[in-house]
Amino acid sequence: MIYILNTLILYFYIVFCYRIMGKKEVGQLGIIDLIVSILIAELAAMGIENIDKPIYISMLPILVLVLLQIFLSYIALKSTKFRKLIDGNPQIIINKGKVDFKTMQKIRYSLDDLISQLREQGIKNIKDVKYAILENNGKLSVFNDDNTYPMPIIIDGIIDVDTVKNMKKNINWVYDILNKNNIKLKDVFYAFHSKNKTFIIRKN
């Protein structure tokens, strides 16, 4: 009965904790979320098995982990540099129909991995792909032409220099767009370039 009681208590407690941390699919977990999830599972297992110790001994460190995850998520939301440090950057694997082997080698992403993920999306030939981006969660986003590929040029008031360079543009080009729309860089939540147009979303 003690095992069952501890299991039920920890089950509902962990459900509550995950509700606080926010909804995310397993495939969308970042590094912090994944580490916290693993540690919570270990602490929960200890709480169920060690019936000779009070259950709050497991519940307290779980709460600490949840609060830490919320705090780090808040920092990541406010700081682009911290977010990139923790989660990394999406990597362009195929750029204008050409496979970037240097990037693949740097992130230890093999050609077999690329072909496998393309095959999962029903693409049989690499030549059919215009752009392919390896997202932070390991998912491969594929675009078959220039017009469908959204180029993120500003994220939370910060210009994505790498994207601008890949577009064969410069920082002045970005500022010219902002000036034409009478928008300051710090007021931009997200801006992307798609179908030969630039779309800007302002902060509230």
Side-chain angles (χ1 to χ4, degrees):
M1 287 301 295
I2 296 178
Y3 283 114
I4 295 173
L5 182 61
N6 284 357
T7 301
L8 290 174
I9 292 173
L10 284 169
Y11 172 79
F12 288 108
Y13 181 66
I14 291 172
V15 168
F16 172 74
C17 288
Y18 272 91
R19 291 284 292 175
I20 294 175
M21 289 192 294
K23 295 181 180 179
K24 285 188 179 180
E25 296 180 8
V26 174
Q28 296 177 340
L29 292 178
I31 293 175
I32 294 176
D33 302 312
L34 182 60
I35 292 173
V36 168
S37 296
I38 293 172
L39 291 175
I40 287 177
E42 290 292 327
L43 290 168
M46 290 171 57
I48 294 171
E49 293 173 357
N50 299 328
I51 58 175
D52 57 326
K53 295 181 181 179
I55 195 171
Y56 69 81
I57 292 179
S58 293
M59 296 176 69
L60 182 59
I62 288 175
L63 179 60
V64 172
L65 286 172
V66 170
L67 294 176
L68 176 63
Q69 191 272 347
I70 294 173
F71 175 70
L72 293 178
S73 296
Y74 177 79
I75 295 177
L77 184 65
K78 296 295 182 180
S79 173
T80 304
K81 290 183 179 179
F82 181 77
R83 184 165 61 247
K84 289 183 177 181
L85 177 65
I86 297 298
D87 293 331
N89 288 325
Q91 299 291 331
I92 299 177
I93 304 300
I94 300 177
N95 190 357
K96 296 183 179 179
K98 295 181 180 180
V99 179
D100 191 338
F101 290 103
K102 288 184 178 180
T103 297
M104 290 175 61
Q105 186 176 10
K106 184 176 67 175
I107 62 176
R108 294 177 295 281
Y109 184 76
S110 69
L111 186 60
D112 288 338
D113 293 330
L114 175 61
I115 294 173
S116 175
Q117 289 196 286
L118 289 176
R119 192 164 52 242
E120 288 176 0
Q121 301 191 41
I123 299 172
K124 300 178 180 179
N125 197 326
I126 294 179
K127 293 181 180 179
D128 297 333
V129 179
K130 193 70 175 180
Y131 294 95
I133 302 172
L134 187 64
E135 307 291 354
N136 293 337
N137 60 5
K139 181 181 178 181
L140 189 71
S141 298
V142 178
F143 303 90
N144 296 325
D145 59 73
D146 290 313
N147 290 330
T148 59
Y149 173 40
M151 298 278 197
I153 57 177
I154 301 175
I155 301 174
D156 200 14
I158 299 175
I159 298 173
D160 192 322
V161 179
D162 292 334
T163 298
V164 174
K165 286 182 178 179
N166 286 327
M167 294 172 62
K168 307 299 181 183
K169 305 289 186 180
N170 54 42
I171 303 299
N172 292 331
W173 173 77
V174 179
Y175 280 108
D176 286 340
I177 294 174
L178 294 176
N179 291 333
K180 288 179 181 178
N181 290 275
N182 294 318
I183 301 174
K184 294 181 179 179
L185 179 61
K186 64 178 183 178
D187 296 329
V188 179
F189 176 71
Y190 183 67
F192 65 96
H193 194 77
S194 180
K195 298 182 180 180
N196 298 319
K197 294 181 180 179
T198 301
F199 300 86
I200 301 174
I201 301 174
R202 299 191 188 195
K203 295 179 181 179
N204 292 331

